[in-house]
Amino acid sequence: MHDERRRIEERVERAHNQRIKPAVYAAAVPLAVEAWQAPGEPVPFAEAAVAAYEPFAMGTPWGPPWGTTWFRMRGQVPAEWAGRRVEAVIDLGFVGDWPGNQAEALVHLTDGTPLKAVNPLNQYVPIGNPATGGEEIHYLVEAASNPDILAGEFAAPTPLGDVLTAGSEPLYVFRRADLAVLDEQVWHLDLDLQVLRELMVHLGEHEPRRHEILHTLDRAMDALDLDDVSGSAAAVREVLAPALARPAHASAHTISGVGHAHIDSAWLWPIRETKRKTSRTFSNVTALADEYDDFIFACSQAQQYEWVRDHYPRVWARIQESVKKGQWAPVGGMWVESDGNLPGGEAIARQLVHGKRFFIEHFGIETKGVWLPDSFGYNAAYPQLAKLAGNDWFLTQKISWNQTNKFPHHTFWWEGIDGTRIFTHFPPVDTYNARFSGEEMDRAVRNYAEKGAGTRSLAPFGWGDGGGGPTREIMERARRLADLEGSPKVVVEHPDAFFAKAREEYPDAPVWNGELYLELHRATYTSQARTKQGNRRSEHRLREAELWATTAALHAPGYAYPYEKLDRLWKTVLLHQFHDILPGSSIAWVHREAEAEYARVAGELETLTAEAIAALGGGGARVFNTGPYDRAEVVRTAEGTPVYVRVPASGSAPLAAAAPPPAPRPVTAEGRVLDNGLVRVEVAEDGTLSSVFDLRADREVLAGQGNLLRLHTDLPNYWDAWDIDKHYQNRYTDLLGTESVTVVEADPLVGAIRVERSFGKGSKITQTITLRAGSPRIDFETDIDWHEAEKILKAGFPVDIRAPHSSAEIQFGHVQRPTHTNTSWEAARFEVSGHRWVHIGEPGYGVAVVNDSTYGHDVSRTVREDGGTTTTVRLSLVRAPRIPDPEADQGRHRFTYALLPGASIEDAVAEGYALNLPLRVADSAGEPRPVVSVDGEGVTVEAVKLADDGSGDVVVRLYESRGGRGRGVLRTGFPLAGAQVTDLLERPLEEAGSTDGAVPVSLRPFQILTLRLRRG
């Protein structure tokens, strides 16, 4: 047989694109359109309904950046269209090939009922099937002119990322607003051809099936009347039918399709726009559910449901109905799809608590899995947290973006730092916006790593981020691929069903231990430093407010625990942990608002804490310790006088008599030397540390210039706010010049030296190096006025320690990472995340670097000529990406990091809490016992609060923090009637033995334990 593949393929392509696709709509008549430009921010429907509209013609530019234009559309279905499928077709002037992040609209009836959204790949609104003819059409269409921030693939900075800088020129040209007849035979023919053509080109040239489809398509084109596509469509489909009816191979891979619409809670648009995106997409989804009984849609992020409930009650009612019918599947069980590395442990627990509770309360459904397809890596505490929240499975996708190493599994058991395992799937289709194309189906099968052991994978399908979710075209593809030779089988089903089948067929799946590190987007540990600082401080202020509110509720008559306020503030913080807000990868508008929200949260929490302490009664200055460990350190009075105090964990002590003898050795500050009898710190003329001598261990800590500030050129290959590529290390400037090195405090309890530097494009750094009596911790209080572009600033501490690994705090524990680069996996971890501390050590001696708001760091080591080893810890302080926010990180930053010589892991944990939870001095006469205290090693209190159900029970969350066995006794500062071990949602799991107000505690390494304490 002659090879005529090229001729046939080109023939089919032209006929399909130039004849069949244009014939999908058989006839059309224009709608009459009027427009009203809403001033400023979006307005409610009621206001738009009575606005003054003006005539609007097709081809007219419309829509300033971030504007809202309301269109009034009127028309009448022609009588001759009776019995046919009639739709309104609206093209707002869609641009590009990405269906999200641009113009989109929500179509309403005149009574305000939302009908359906209009999106780039979902432009129709059904009128009648069949139409009766003569129907009057009257719509009000709320159209958002969101700018296409992604245009040009982020090649250049844009001012469009903030309404304050975006300008007012129209962005779009309205193309079409018609009533049209959908020719269903032609529409189905279009889909038949799409599926067969795409299947064909992804089959091997040696496959008989490929050639069978090719010649079937050739014969089909013979049956096509180019002058009457509609009239010949049925005949063409008859020719194609046998090829579409051939069943799949018995061993064909099975793909569980799950409808999905990944909607970033903020990214290249502000939160206010996400509220509208969700309503548009959810309108589409509920409409599609009415059309396809076999459709199932999985949707996460309780926050988005709440927005729709509060702002679009009619859409909310449709969601509730779809849930009842089993077509809408709440999943994920988190408040938002948060970042996987940066939120604290308690925050991730609350993400799960608030998310799961929302779905239980509003739908009577307890979600069974964590749904996080798009976060930028996943911390190693997740398996335990997920299981403690009642989850059985975990889904992710983003690890497919790895820059260096291909992740070896798609279905596996993920083991966390405490040993908990959770069944995990990583879809081989490598997208969470699948459309069942031939390319995707081929990729899913080729990629699938578990061949020979497993036979199935999951594919979330639908357009996200304002693309409108799943479409009828995708559903039709799924139907054609349900049982088709040469393709994997597609079945649309609930993700719970997929995970049950996958686990049943592959119970002994391989195990991946530790963090799921994404070898990309490493700069998200640092970008938008003020947003990250707002999160860190909010988490600790929430802890503080809950502890003292609980103390007041137990000991202050008449005090009312602020349930509603704390709930609301937690949800605000949880929202801003979304995986583009907290990582710093959103537009300027998002981060500007985030900083304002964090300031508001800080103010409210300060008020709540002050009110709780005031409720204990006034009468004298006391020191309050929110941390989980006893403290002995220097605080300042209201007048600024330093005082050395001792305060019990989670308790308080009088300021005046808080420090019984023995008193610590006094601090000396002379020249450029600080000494407190524990460590001696020498500052060089260039502002770096020339020596840190540990007087207790009689050893020099440093092996080079300490606190070396290094400015690197930082231009990643792509994705500026997201990425830091390894070549950043090759070009840098050390900031060694100083304007002054001055002793600014020389008190027996505090010594401080200030170093001032100017550099670059008008940037300035002022650091106050502080040493306090009784502590080896050296603080670097840092004030940066930052005006650089495409740079990253790091602070390095080269330490004379041969450390085989570093330990970095994560949620409820820490992870160890090798300091060598023997393998490509280790070399890829050139920038990693951590929370309050990083520790390096050799047998007998260690050093920690502690911080109050940074997350990114790197650890490396080298061997010196003298044979010793230098291990260097460097904190990433601030970056200067220009995309998508051209002014990212510009301006003032204030934070503190510290060097802790002679530190064990326990010391690092304690000082991490201490730096982030400073002692509070307040007027109070009350001397309540701490709500709880723990006697024993390694048992750390993470949260103290009243139970969410209003019962008055006290809930305490503990964990083992050293990585070993933890044993101790928890004692209460109130009469104890009994104790239960609960899950994260405070539901009982088992009784916890208690005697005389004491609960024995025994924990495995890094185990999390939640106790519910009943008051006597």
Side-chain angles (χ1 to χ4, degrees):
M1 181 182 291
H2 299 299
D3 186 354
E4 294 194 280
R5 286 176 297 176
R6 179 176 177 182
R7 174 190 66 80
I8 298 171
E9 289 174 5
E10 291 175 349
R11 178 193 187 193
V12 174
E13 181 179 16
R14 181 172 187 184
H16 189 190
N17 292 338
Q18 296 184 12
R19 293 293 192 273
I20 295 170
K21 285 182 179 296
V24 166
Y25 284 106
V29 296
L31 290 163
V33 180
E34 298 172 295
W36 173 67
Q37 176 68 48
E41 286 296 282
V43 301
F45 175 87
E47 183 176 339
V50 297
Y53 287 76
E54 296 180 353
F56 184 88
M58 293 300 99
T60 301
W62 72 279
W66 306 114
T68 300
T69 305
W70 284 82
F71 294 98
R72 187 159 59 195
M73 300 183 182
R74 292 189 176 95
Q76 184 175 26
V77 176
E80 60 269 24
W81 290 2
R84 308 185 73 178
R85 185 165 181 165
V86 180
E87 300 176 344
V89 182
I90 301 170
D91 184 346
L92 301 172
F94 301 116
V95 298
D97 57 1
W98 185 35
N101 188 42
Q102 55 166 295
E104 50 186 306
L106 182 60
V107 180
H108 302 77
L109 294 176
T110 54
D111 66 356
T113 301
L115 278 182
K116 183 181 172 295
V118 173
N119 310 93
L121 298 176
N122 198 342
Q123 299 179 14
Y124 74 95
V125 180
I127 303 298
N129 183 25
T132 59
E135 293 97 328
E136 294 284 345
I137 306 305
H138 190 175
Y139 293 152
L140 280 176
V141 180
E142 181 190 25
S145 48
N146 300 329
D148 184 4
I149 305 294
L150 196 59
E153 297 185 349
F154 288 148
T158 173
L160 292 173
D162 196 330
V163 69
L164 301 180
T165 58
S168 59
E169 287 299 311
L171 296 173
Y172 299 99
V173 176
F174 211 122
R175 293 201 186 99
R176 182 180 188 184
D178 294 338
L179 292 177
V181 174
L182 180 71
D183 190 320
E184 295 188 71
Q185 280 288 359
V186 177
W187 181 67
H188 280 290
L189 173 58
D190 174 34
L191 288 157
D192 292 346
L193 286 170
Q194 287 182 42
V195 169
L196 285 173
R197 287 181 63 198
E198 292 174 6
L199 172 62
M200 177 185 70
V201 299
H202 288 283
L203 289 169
E205 294 186 3
H206 63 286
E207 294 283 350
R209 173 67 163 156
R210 175 170 181 152
H211 297 272
E212 174 198 310
I213 295 173
L214 178 77
H215 290 284
T216 299
L217 291 173
D218 198 24
R219 292 193 301 274
M221 293 303 98
D222 291 338
L224 179 68
D225 185 343
L226 297 178
D227 296 320
D228 187 9
V229 172
S230 178
S232 60
V236 179
R237 294 193 70 208
E238 286 183 13
V239 177
L240 298 175
L244 287 164
R246 294 282 293 272
H249 297 305
S251 60
H253 184 77
T254 298
I255 293 178
S256 296
V258 181
H260 183 233
H262 178 80
I263 303 177
D264 290 310
S265 289
W267 179 28
L268 305 180
W269 48 85
I271 287 172
R272 70 91 150 141
E273 193 56 32
T274 313
K275 296 175 182 179
R276 301 201 294 177
K277 284 179 180 285
T278 53
S279 68
R280 298 176 196 125
T281 293
F282 294 174
S283 296
N284 286 352
V285 169
T286 52
L288 193 65
D290 290 339
E291 193 171 355
Y292 288 87
D293 291 339
D294 53 339
F295 173 60
I296 295 177
F297 179 72
C299 185
S300 67
Q301 305 197 76
Q303 171 69 88
Q304 295 184 3
Y305 287 76
E306 185 176 79
W307 285 334
V308 173
R309 183 199 67 190
D310 293 346
H311 299 286
Y312 297 87
R314 293 178 181 179
V315 178
W316 171 249
R318 286 157 58 180
I319 292 172
Q320 290 179 307
E321 185 61 30
S322 289
V323 171
K324 289 177 184 177
K325 294 190 322 187
Q327 291 188 276
W328 185 297
V331 294
M334 296 179 71
W335 191 246
V336 296
E337 290 184 15
S338 72
D339 181 78
N341 291 309
L342 305 178
E346 187 61 24
I348 291 183
R350 303 299 177 97
Q351 288 280 0
L352 292 161
V353 167
H354 284 291
K356 294 202 71 161
R357 281 215 184 111
F358 185 92
F359 295 134
I360 292 170
E361 176 184 351
H362 293 285
F363 303 120
I365 290 175
E366 179 164 358
T367 56
K368 291 299 182 183
V370 177
W371 181 281
L372 279 177
D374 190 34
S375 296
F376 310 145
Y378 307 90
N379 73 80
Y382 249 125
Q384 183 182 188
L385 286 164
K387 294 289 281 188
L388 287 173
N391 292 296
D392 298 325
W393 55 261
F394 192 100
L395 179 133
T396 176
Q397 174 66 65
K398 201 72 170 191
I399 304 299
S400 66
W401 287 38
N402 269 7
Q403 193 175 47
T404 305
N405 298 285
K406 182 177 175 62
F407 194 78
H409 311 302
H410 286 105
T411 301
F412 58 99
W413 289 97
W414 181 19
E415 181 178 310
I417 52 174
D418 75 310
T420 298
R421 293 179 178 179
I422 191 166
F423 196 72
T424 302
H425 183 65
F426 168 37
V429 72
D430 277 359
T431 180
Y432 42 80
N433 296 312
R435 59 185 183 90
F436 297 132
S437 68
E439 178 187 8
E440 290 170 350
M441 298 300 91
D442 179 61
R443 181 168 64 242
V445 175
R446 281 188 291 105
N447 270 357
Y448 187 57
E450 273 61 58
K451 295 183 185 77
T455 64
R456 60 185 66 243
S457 64
L458 185 144
F461 66 87
W463 305 111
D465 282 339
T471 65
R472 60 188 180 185
E473 288 79 12
I474 300 177
M475 281 299 297
E476 290 292 337
R477 284 172 171 269
R479 288 180 168 182
R480 287 160 173 78
L481 294 170
D483 192 14
L484 183 62
E485 183 186 359
S487 171
K489 300 175 184 178
V490 173
V491 55
V492 177
E493 62 181 347
H494 195 294
D496 285 350
F498 160 77
F499 275 95
K501 294 172 185 176
R503 182 170 176 175
E504 181 180 8
E505 77 168 3
Y506 201 16
D508 58 344
V511 176
W512 180 269
N513 181 68
E515 65 184 329
L516 292 174
Y517 176 83
L518 177 62
E519 295 175 0
L520 201 72
H521 292 1
R522 304 169 181 91
T524 59
Y525 315 145
T526 305
S527 296
Q528 299 285 1
R530 283 184 293 268
T531 296
K532 291 174 171 57
Q533 184 177 77
N535 174 74
R536 175 78 69 84
R537 294 186 179 173
S538 294
E539 289 178 348
H540 288 82
R541 285 183 172 116
L542 280 161
R543 173 196 176 106
E544 188 175 28
E546 286 184 337
L547 173 65
W548 299 118
T550 302
T551 305
L554 294 174
H555 299 294
Y559 176 82
Y561 190 84
Y563 290 102
E564 185 278 329
K565 291 179 180 178
L566 288 169
D567 180 81
R568 175 174 48 80
L569 291 166
W570 260 115
K571 287 175 178 175
T572 299
V573 174
L574 298 179
L575 165 60
H576 288 85
Q577 291 175 343
F578 179 75
H579 65 251
D580 279 304
I581 304 178
L582 183 52
S585 48
S586 292
I587 56 173
W589 192 348
V590 173
H591 291 289
R592 171 169 57 81
E593 290 190 334
E595 291 176 31
E597 281 292 277
Y598 285 131
R600 181 185 63 79
V601 168
E604 287 197 47
L605 288 172
E606 177 63 28
T607 298
L608 290 181
T609 301
E611 288 174 349
I613 290 175
L616 297 172
R622 292 183 69 83
V623 184
F624 293 81
N625 174 15
T626 306
Y629 301 106
D630 295 346
R631 304 267 282 273
E633 61 187 69
V634 176
V635 297
R636 294 186 186 273
T637 65
E639 296 74 28
T641 304
V643 179
Y644 190 76
V645 297
R646 301 179 190 275
V647 195
S650 303
S652 66
L655 179 62
R665 289 270 304 273
V667 178
T668 60
E670 299 175 352
R672 296 190 304 274
V673 179
L674 303 174
D675 190 324
N676 67 355
L678 302 175
V679 293
R680 185 175 63 246
V681 181
E682 298 180 15
V683 181
E685 290 184 9
D686 61 16
T688 63
L689 303 187
S690 57
S691 173
V692 173
F693 196 84
D694 189 334
L695 298 167
R696 302 161 301 170
D698 192 29
R699 65 181 286 170
E700 175 60 46
V701 175
L702 299 178
Q705 294 168 299
N707 192 38
L708 176 63
L709 299 176
R710 179 167 285 180
L711 188 68
H712 291 266
T713 297
D714 180 21
L715 184 66
N717 294 342
Y718 309 100
W719 304 97
D720 291 28
W722 292 258
D723 288 350
I724 178 170
D725 286 333
K726 200 169 188 176
H727 54 253
Y728 90 91
Q729 299 170 348
N730 301 333
R731 189 172 181 86
Y732 57 84
T733 300
D734 289 340
L735 304 184
L736 299 177
T738 64
E739 295 178 4
S740 64
V741 180
T742 311
V743 173
V744 293
E745 188 162 18
D747 185 272
L749 292 177
V750 182
I753 296 174
R754 182 168 297 156
V755 179
E756 296 181 310
R757 295 182 175 89
S758 297
F759 62 95
K761 298 180 179 180
S763 298
K764 184 173 182 177
I765 300 177
T766 300
Q767 287 194 308
T768 303
I769 305 168
T770 303
L771 188 65
R772 296 174 177 85
S775 172
R777 196 181 87 195
I778 307 156
D779 288 358
F780 300 84
E781 300 167 50
T782 304
D783 187 323
I784 302 179
D785 189 11
W786 180 250
H787 298 286
E788 304 308 298
E790 296 170 346
K791 298 288 191 293
I792 184 170
L793 181 67
K794 289 194 167 245
F797 292 93
V799 180
D800 188 10
I801 284 178
R802 182 169 177 80
H805 61 260
S806 65
S807 298
E809 187 188 41
I810 64 166
Q811 297 80 355
F812 293 107
H814 60 267
V815 292
Q816 294 182 341
R817 301 179 176 111
T819 54
H820 59 73
T821 54
N822 284 354
T823 71
S824 59
W825 293 87
E826 292 150 358
R829 286 177 168 85
F830 58 83
E831 181 81 1
V832 291
S833 66
H835 281 220
R836 291 171 290 212
W837 53 266
V838 181
H839 181 272
I840 55 173
E842 60 189 22
Y845 196 81
V847 169
V849 179
V850 187
N851 72 84
D852 72 356
S853 57
T854 62
Y855 294 88
H857 66 275
D858 67 83
V859 181
S860 61
R861 73 179 192 190
T862 186
V863 176
R864 306 186 299 272
E865 290 186 3
D866 65 3
T869 298
T870 299
T871 303
T872 301
V873 178
R874 300 198 309 158
L875 297 181
S876 300
L877 302 181
V878 65
R879 293 186 73 229
R882 302 181 65 211
I883 300 169
D885 176 5
E887 298 297 319
D889 282 316
Q890 299 298 298
R892 297 295 291 274
H893 301 268
R894 297 178 179 87
F895 50 83
T896 299
Y897 56 90
L899 183 69
L900 187 64
S904 62
I905 291 290
E906 296 94 319
D907 296 329
V909 173
E911 291 300 328
Y913 277 107
L915 185 61
N916 284 270
L917 291 167
L919 297 176
R920 172 184 288 267
V921 177
D923 183 61
S924 177
E927 296 188 22
R929 294 175 59 194
V931 176
V932 294
S933 58
V934 178
D935 299 330
E937 295 291 323
V939 180
T940 299
V941 176
E942 177 61 17
V944 177
K945 59 191 285 293
L946 289 192
D948 291 339
D949 61 6
S951 63
D953 291 349
V954 175
V955 172
V956 180
R957 191 132 38 236
L958 313 158
Y959 73 105
E960 197 289 314
S961 58
R962 300 177 305 172
R965 297 285 171 175
R967 286 185 171 84
V969 177
L970 181 142
R971 304 184 190 281
T972 63
F974 56 90
L976 180 65
Q980 292 176 320
V981 177
T982 74
D983 65 5
L984 294 185
L985 278 72
E986 302 172 9
R987 300 176 297 193
L989 298 175
E990 61 184 14
E991 290 296 316
S994 61
T995 306
D996 297 329
V999 181
V1001 176
S1002 179
L1003 302 177
R1004 65 179 179 272
F1006 299 129
Q1007 182 183 355
I1008 303 166
L1009 181 69
T1010 304
L1011 294 175
R1012 185 177 184 125
L1013 309 175
R1014 297 190 300 275
R1015 294 155 62 181

